[in-house]
Amino acid sequence: MAQKVKTRRTVVIGMLGTTLDTGMGSQRWTRWRPTVSLCQQEDLLVHRLELLHPPRASSLATVIQEDIAQVSPETEVRLTSLPIQDPWNLEETYGALLDHVRAQSFHPEEEDYLVHITTGTHIAQICMFLLVESRLIPGRLVQTSPGKGKEHGAVGTHAIIDLDLSNYDTLAARFQRQQREGLSFLKSGIDTHNAAFNRLIERIEQVAVQSRAPLLLTGPTGAGKSQLAKRIYALKKARNQVAGPFVDLNCATLRGDGAMSTLFGHVKGAFTGAVGDRPGLMRQANGGVLFLDEIGELGADEQAMLLRALEDKRFLPVGADKEAESDFQLIAGTNRDLQLDVERGRFREDLLARINLWTFRLPALRERPEDIAPNLQYELDQASQALGTRVTMSKEAQEYFLRFATSPEARWSGNFRDLNAAVLRMSTLAAGGRMTREVVDEELERLRTQWRPAGTAATSGSEDVLAEVMGPARAAELDRFDQVQLADVVSVCRSARSLSDAGRTLFAQSRAQKKSVNDADRLRKYLARFGLAWSDVSGRDAE
């Protein structure tokens, strides 16, 4: 005896349309009513309709229930009143729908679920979509449309939308392609290989296109903060997220009374020499992006005014009695430890808290040795444009340069500024646009001289360096002899890629006299004399 096949049931979940579903008297049958129309489709049998409605629409819901019973006796209509007082309130509407869905028992192995998204407010439709997209409702979307001509009349048509269809994969692929283009754009088209840097750029792209909150770019001088800020602005501009200009300022150039005027503007007669009104950079950045590089150099008054402008989007120009307004996104850059500056009273704690929501540290060039090769090619292209002629490197010259550039000997203290200057010099000296080994030799000797400590000049920043790794109190307890020596060791450690690399550089002469060498262990013991470990001085984990 043949086994009887169990028919799957179709269940529709929909929101009552308090406008589209209305209609009284016999004339209502000539109107297109989406909820009734859904149950009149010849090729869609609705076994059960879960009709949700706000409390005040109970009478209309009952009319719809009775009318569906006439046109589709096979359809069971269940009415459910949801506690929604304001159907345009996203939080209230989504909360009520979510609570209702979580209280239901779904049986996808026995029933097919459709969610009707034609009726209800736009807020309700969005919430319904989200519940299906997140699979909290294990079903598909169904949309009804009014009929055209006599063929469909008030019955209309319907379309089922499956969020798992392959054409949505195409949409996802387009989104991913757009994201990859954004990442490449932020990297100036350079195919970088450093995994940590690529993750950093990916996160910056994600935040930049979704947020207008301040961004703080930290890292050593020459690491590319200014260039990245310009790229972030260009990316936001290309995606229609900003309409205003990109305005940038190096705060280290601000001095004296002119600082407030440069940033916030002034009115005529505000001070001697103020012969006219000046809008100031902050007002010029309205609707766009304001990049303040070296923000740690701002004075106390400028910091206070900037905080007010960020929080209230209002500020007072110098000499004015009326506030100005400007709505801009701030990108700040610094090579300083702003938290340390806060502890020393040099930077406002509340301002740091305001700009520290999204902080990204750009690594030094020496921390990305695998990225020097693609950046070398980029700089060669830039030099070619600047000189108006195509510049190339012989294979021998390129390998020789990269061998030095990725070694512990290459300090790259100026980071990309050093690399840019080196390539530009070599390109200028390249006869016929072809860079030879001899040209590279000359440049490497220049770099070695440039990076060589000049006598005691290397000790000028020793106090700040040691205060950063040990704390001001412990650093002050050291003899000057130890301060100078330890500061140089810390500098080498920060430049090296590993504990062993640092040891080889520091003990380059004495290690040649030893039968058995363990540079890493020697350096580890030296640091331990001062209560320090490799991670303290380098910012990286031990090997």
Side-chain angles (χ1 to χ4, degrees):
M1 182 175 180
Q3 187 176 3
K4 186 176 181 180
V5 179
K6 188 175 182 180
T7 304
R8 294 177 63 85
R9 293 168 55 83
T10 299
V11 178
V12 175
I13 303 170
M15 181 73 72
L16 178 70
T18 55
T19 299
L20 292 178
D21 283 333
T22 56
M24 301 299 292
S26 60
Q27 292 297 317
R28 71 182 185 276
W29 294 105
T30 63
R31 294 184 68 251
W32 174 71
R33 292 179 294 168
T35 302
V36 176
S37 165
L38 182 64
C39 299
Q40 292 179 286
Q41 303 299 307
E42 292 183 1
D43 54 349
L44 177 65
L45 174 58
V46 179
H47 294 89
R48 187 172 79 248
L49 172 63
E50 299 284 352
L51 187 57
L52 314 177
H53 63 86
R56 64 177 183 276
S58 297
S59 298
L60 176 60
T62 301
V63 171
I64 296 298
Q65 183 183 40
E66 294 172 351
D67 286 352
I68 291 176
Q70 293 187 48
V71 299
S72 180
E74 305 92 338
T75 302
E76 175 192 2
V77 180
R78 296 181 182 178
L79 304 181
T80 301
S81 176
L82 296 181
I84 300 176
Q85 301 302 319
D86 181 4
W88 291 98
N89 184 298
L90 176 61
E91 183 177 2
E92 180 184 358
T93 302
Y94 186 76
L97 286 169
L98 180 61
D99 290 343
H100 173 74
V101 168
R102 284 178 171 171
Q104 304 307 303
S105 296
F106 293 100
H107 305 283
E109 69 282 355
E110 300 175 1
E111 298 176 327
D112 291 325
Y113 297 99
L114 298 176
V115 175
H116 192 203
I117 59 168
T118 306
T119 51
T121 63
H122 292 322
I123 293 296
Q125 293 169 8
I126 291 171
C127 293
M128 288 290 205
F129 174 88
L130 293 175
L131 290 169
V132 174
E133 193 272 339
S134 64
R135 309 305 296 171
L136 288 171
I137 299 178
R140 298 172 292 172
L141 304 176
V142 60
Q143 186 173 23
T144 51
S145 303
K148 295 181 180 180
K150 297 181 179 180
E151 181 181 357
H152 298 290
V155 175
T157 60
H158 77 282
I160 294 177
I161 306 168
D162 190 340
L163 295 184
D164 290 331
L165 286 175
S166 59
N167 59 338
Y168 285 89
D169 293 338
T170 303
L171 294 178
R174 290 182 61 185
F175 173 79
Q176 291 170 358
R177 184 167 63 252
Q178 182 184 39
Q179 184 184 38
R180 287 195 300 270
E181 291 171 353
L183 296 176
S184 177
F185 184 81
L186 290 180
K187 296 189 294 183
S188 301
I190 302 172
D191 186 19
T192 55
H193 305 300
N194 183 274
F197 180 74
N198 287 337
R199 286 195 299 270
L200 173 71
I201 294 298
E202 184 175 342
R203 182 53 54 87
I204 291 175
E205 189 269 349
Q206 183 182 6
V207 172
V209 299
Q210 295 188 28
S211 173
R212 295 192 73 247
L215 303 178
L216 178 59
L217 306 179
T218 69
T221 299
K225 297 185 291 293
S226 299
Q227 179 73 9
L228 180 58
K230 293 176 183 177
R231 289 275 168 174
I232 290 173
Y233 166 76
L235 181 64
K236 295 175 75 74
K237 183 81 170 178
R239 300 196 181 177
N240 300 311
Q241 294 181 335
V242 293
F246 177 80
V247 178
D248 63 323
L249 172 69
N250 189 322
C251 298
T253 63
L254 296 178
R255 291 291 183 273
D257 297 335
M260 292 287 282
S261 174
T262 299
L263 270 175
F264 307 103
H266 65 249
V267 297
K268 181 180 178 180
F271 50 83
T272 303
V275 296
D277 292 348
R278 182 181 187 180
L281 298 181
M282 199 158 290
R283 205 181 317 183
Q284 290 179 18
N286 185 35
V289 171
L290 176 65
F291 175 53
L292 296 182
D293 198 10
E294 304 305 343
I295 193 173
E297 302 296 333
L298 281 180
D301 292 340
E302 291 79 25
Q303 291 179 34
M305 188 80 83
L306 175 60
L307 178 61
R308 170 86 192 285
L310 289 173
E311 292 182 339
D312 302 335
K313 306 191 185 305
R314 303 175 67 85
F315 55 91
L316 193 67
V318 179
D321 53 12
K322 182 180 179 181
E323 290 184 323
E325 297 183 359
S326 183
D327 185 6
F328 57 88
Q329 180 176 7
L330 176 70
I331 301 179
T334 184
N335 63 358
R336 303 169 64 108
D337 183 341
L338 293 184
Q339 187 58 55
L340 184 61
D341 284 351
V342 167
E343 296 172 4
R344 294 178 175 178
R346 296 177 181 173
F347 200 79
R348 292 181 65 105
E349 185 174 13
D350 47 4
L351 178 58
L352 178 58
R354 187 68 180 80
I355 67 175
N356 201 29
L357 176 63
W358 295 109
T359 300
F360 302 100
R361 178 188 175 273
L362 272 64
L365 180 58
R366 63 177 177 268
E367 297 176 42
R368 301 166 49 195
E370 60 269 65
D371 286 343
I372 292 180
N375 275 283
L376 172 62
Q377 187 57 54
Y378 173 79
E379 295 295 348
L380 282 171
D381 293 339
Q382 295 298 106
S384 296
Q385 293 182 23
L387 298 174
T389 182
R390 181 61 180 167
V391 180
T392 61
M393 297 181 77
S394 69
K395 183 178 180 181
E396 179 191 14
Q398 182 170 340
E399 291 177 350
Y400 184 64
F401 180 85
L402 290 175
R403 190 159 50 247
F404 167 83
T406 57
S407 71
E409 185 182 3
R411 296 179 60 186
W412 298 119
S413 53
N415 294 290
F416 287 96
R417 292 176 184 172
D418 280 355
L419 180 61
N420 172 270
V423 174
L424 185 58
R425 284 192 294 263
M426 291 189 294
S427 299
T428 304
L429 297 175
R434 183 69 169 174
M435 203 178 299
T436 62
R437 166 72 180 269
E438 290 71 26
V439 172
V440 174
D441 270 329
E442 182 180 340
E443 179 58 32
L444 297 192
E445 185 57 36
R446 183 183 289 109
L447 290 174
R448 290 187 180 99
T449 302
Q450 175 183 322
W451 294 332
R452 186 178 299 129
T456 58
T459 68
S460 59
S462 61
E463 292 184 5
D464 287 342
V465 171
L466 296 183
E468 185 178 341
V469 298
M470 305 179 68
R474 286 177 59 199
E477 294 175 354
L478 298 178
D479 290 333
R480 183 173 181 180
F481 176 87
D482 288 329
Q483 286 181 352
V484 173
Q485 187 179 60
L486 181 57
D488 186 61
V489 170
V490 171
S491 177
V492 171
C493 290
R494 288 179 169 180
S495 303
R497 285 176 285 177
S498 66
L499 183 65
S500 298
D501 279 343
R504 280 192 291 271
T505 301
L506 289 166
F507 307 121
Q509 303 304 318
S510 60
R511 71 194 303 270
Q513 314 301 322
K514 295 180 176 291
K515 294 182 179 179
S516 176
V517 295
N518 190 335
D519 301 320
D521 187 59
R522 290 180 67 186
L523 177 55
R524 189 182 294 109
K525 290 177 179 177
Y526 173 81
L527 294 173
R529 286 173 46 197
F530 302 96
L532 297 173
W534 166 253
S535 58
D536 298 325
V537 298
S538 68
R540 300 185 292 279
D541 293 334
E543 297 173 304

